[in-house]
Amino acid sequence: MNIKLMLAVMAAKIAAFLSRMFGGKGSSLPGVVARKIYAGTLRDLAGQARQGIIMVTGTNGKTTTNNMIASVILSAGNKIVINQEGANLITGVTTAFIRYANWWGRIDCDYALLEVDEASFPKVLMEVTPQMVVVNNFFRDQLDRYGELDKTVTLVRDALKKLPEVQLILNSDDPLVAQMQQATGHRATFFGLAPQQRTETGSQQTREARFCPHCGEELQYHSYQYSQLGSFICPGCSFQRPEPEVEGFAVETVGARLRARVKYPQGEAQITLHTQGFYNVYNALAAFAVGNLMGIKEEQIVKGLLTYRPAIGRMETFSYQGKPAILNLVKNPTGYNEGLNSLLSIPGSKTVFMAVNDNDADGRDISWLWDVDFEHLASADHETDLFVCSGLRAEEMALRLKYAGIPREKITVIRELEAAIKTALEGPGQLTYLFSTYTALWPAQKILLALAEKEDTHAEGMSSVS
């Protein structure tokens, strides 16, 4: 029995209880306490996963992908550890194991599923050895914290190189991600969308990767999905979009659900997701690829994806006096653009709430708002009756909307969150769509839970499998 581990876990559990009692989430503090008492806490707890560890990293979609993988693995009857709420720094990862451990530091699990922040990825790999690593995408995010995008890509690439052996699951449509197989020498399975799945015109966004990561020539694209994701080829070397082993096509939105067909080595399936947002198909394809590599049956993978429910702020749906409300986390230009596309894809009139904070976890630099395509939103402003701007930087958000061309009479500023959310919910739109940066997200959800009912579509039927 490891006395130091036991003491660290006990102290961390007490810290978690006290944190929650005083209104905190207890998602990182227990990890901080445990690591102070015993530096080997994470290493020792992670080593108890019987079948191995799966990590998810990248810029957007880590929480959703990790939770979808969890649903797939649980559908096959496995026991898991997961940092489900998205606390993805090394302290949050440590806390996840502590939550599942008993007071003596013992964990009963088959797999540990960990979403890991890109900047923390090298630190976590020094203590935890994964069998699989999923890399979703790379976009500019919190420049004051991460620096330029190539720095983030280099951090992940160099950390992967140091692993003696690992199975990579990579997004074939993102050249910044697809390069990882050649750059690291590890075996890789690719997932992606068939070319030209995006038919709407609202995705003319800033491209994060114009040049080949290997030779520096400008990449040529046959088609885009969004941002730099698409069918690319380098005219200067042999680098091009890898043929994905798991490929989605025939993507459609049906009410509040997404459907897609999936081709994979053993056949073809139809998946249904109880969430919206075109980008979520990529997250589902990554989870499908993981399940298939693990030998999980097709029926169980499809069932697992069907039973997935969005985490806090990931297209989370509520009902206020019979009117739907959707809460969506936004943290960088690409994610916000995709949120706007999801908003505009929903028929009917809308009231839009936008909370912007600039705390450390959000990133102090909010200049990224000027790279978001709010002009696209302004071109369809007849669909939106009211814009409610809130949070610490509410005035800057309102100014950005004004310069995008939103009529001034449609914009209102209410810095106090509860009053702003209530105003939005009671707005004239048939639907309320709430955008929130990270530190405003938890308070916004708490307010919504008090004012509205959280919807659960779990009772809807299974999708077909072929």
Side-chain angles (χ1 to χ4, degrees), residues 53 72 115 153 243 251 316 349 361 396 414 422 437 462-463:
I53 294 169
V72 168
E115 69 153 291
V153 175
E243 191 67 30
V251 180
E316 197 176 7
S349 62
E396 285 86 345
I414 306 174
K422 191 168 185 180
T437 57
M462 276 274 291
S463 59

Side-chain angles (χ1 to χ4, degrees), residues 125-411:
L125 287 189
M126 291 176 67
E127 301 182 31
V128 180
T129 302
Q131 281 64 50
M132 294 185 186
V133 173
V134 178
V135 187
N136 269 356
N137 48 60
F138 288 114
F139 303 117
R140 282 178 299 149
D141 189 26
Q142 295 186 28
L143 291 177
D144 53 342
R145 176 167 171 254
Y146 292 105
E148 291 298 331
L149 184 57
D150 58 353
K151 179 182 176 183
T152 303
V153 175
T154 300
L155 277 173
V156 174
R157 183 182 63 223
D158 290 351
L160 289 172
K161 283 182 179 180
K162 294 177 182 178
L163 290 175
E165 187 177 1
V166 68
Q167 169 70 55
L168 301 180
I169 298 92
L170 304 176
N171 187 340
S172 66
D173 296 349
D174 187 343
L176 296 174
V177 173
Q179 65 161 316
M180 291 293 169
Q181 180 184 38
Q182 185 176 333
T184 65
H186 293 307
R187 64 187 185 278
T189 293
F190 290 93
F191 64 92
L193 280 167
Q196 298 179 329
Q197 291 300 298
R198 203 70 180 269
T199 56
E200 70 264 30
T201 59
S203 192
Q204 303 303 312
Q205 305 167 4
T206 301
R207 311 299 179 192
E208 305 284 13
R210 289 180 55 201
F211 302 100
C212 175
H214 298 299
C215 74
E217 285 288 321
E218 186 167 0
L219 295 171
Q220 297 178 355
Y221 278 79
H222 300 300
S223 64
Y224 287 105
Q225 306 292 359
Y226 68 91
S227 192
Q228 78 270 14
L229 275 61
S231 181
F232 61 87
I233 187 169
C234 174
C237 67
S238 59
F239 183 56
Q240 61 181 323
R241 174 186 183 261
E243 191 67 30
E245 286 86 354
V246 175
E247 186 174 58
F249 65 102
V251 180
E252 60 178 344
T253 301
V254 182
R257 296 180 294 173
L258 277 172
R259 285 180 181 166
R261 302 291 298 177
V262 180
K263 290 190 292 187
Y264 67 106
Q266 292 81 22
E268 191 174 298
Q270 178 172 293
I271 60 172
T272 299
L273 308 173
H274 288 296
T275 188
Q276 300 179 42
F278 180 87
Y279 50 88
N280 277 317
V281 180
Y282 277 105
N283 303 326
L285 293 173
F288 197 107
V290 169
N292 189 55
L293 281 169
M294 294 172 64
I296 296 176
K297 294 179 181 179
E298 178 187 296
E299 293 83 359
Q300 292 172 324
I301 296 174
V302 172
K303 179 182 177 181
L305 291 173
L306 182 71
T307 57
Y308 161 78
R309 291 297 175 271
I312 174 175
R314 278 72 175 184
M315 301 296 288
E316 197 176 7
T317 304
F318 299 82
S319 178
Y320 178 76
Q321 297 181 357
K323 184 168 64 175
I326 297 173
L327 178 61
N328 196 10
L329 170 68
V330 287
K331 57 178 185 171
N332 53 47
T334 298
Y336 218 135
N337 283 331
E338 286 303 295
L340 295 178
N341 283 325
S342 296
L343 165 68
L344 294 176
S345 71
I346 302 171
S349 62
K350 299 102 176 174
T351 299
V352 179
F353 167 90
M354 296 173 166
V356 178
N357 282 354
D358 62 349
N359 295 312
D360 285 339
D362 305 291
R364 295 288 186 180
D365 182 358
I366 64 165
S367 63
W368 60 272
L369 289 173
W370 293 87
D371 291 328
V372 179
D373 190 11
F374 291 113
E375 285 73 15
H376 177 48
L377 184 63
S379 68
D381 79 280
H382 60 280
E383 299 179 14
T384 307
D385 301 296
L386 177 65
F387 295 85
V388 181
C389 300
S390 188
L392 299 177
R393 303 300 289 269
E395 290 83 2
E396 285 86 345
M397 184 69 252
L399 181 67
R400 177 68 185 94
L401 292 178
K402 174 189 171 184
Y403 275 93
I406 301 293
R408 291 181 63 180
E409 62 271 16
K410 289 189 175 185
I411 305 170

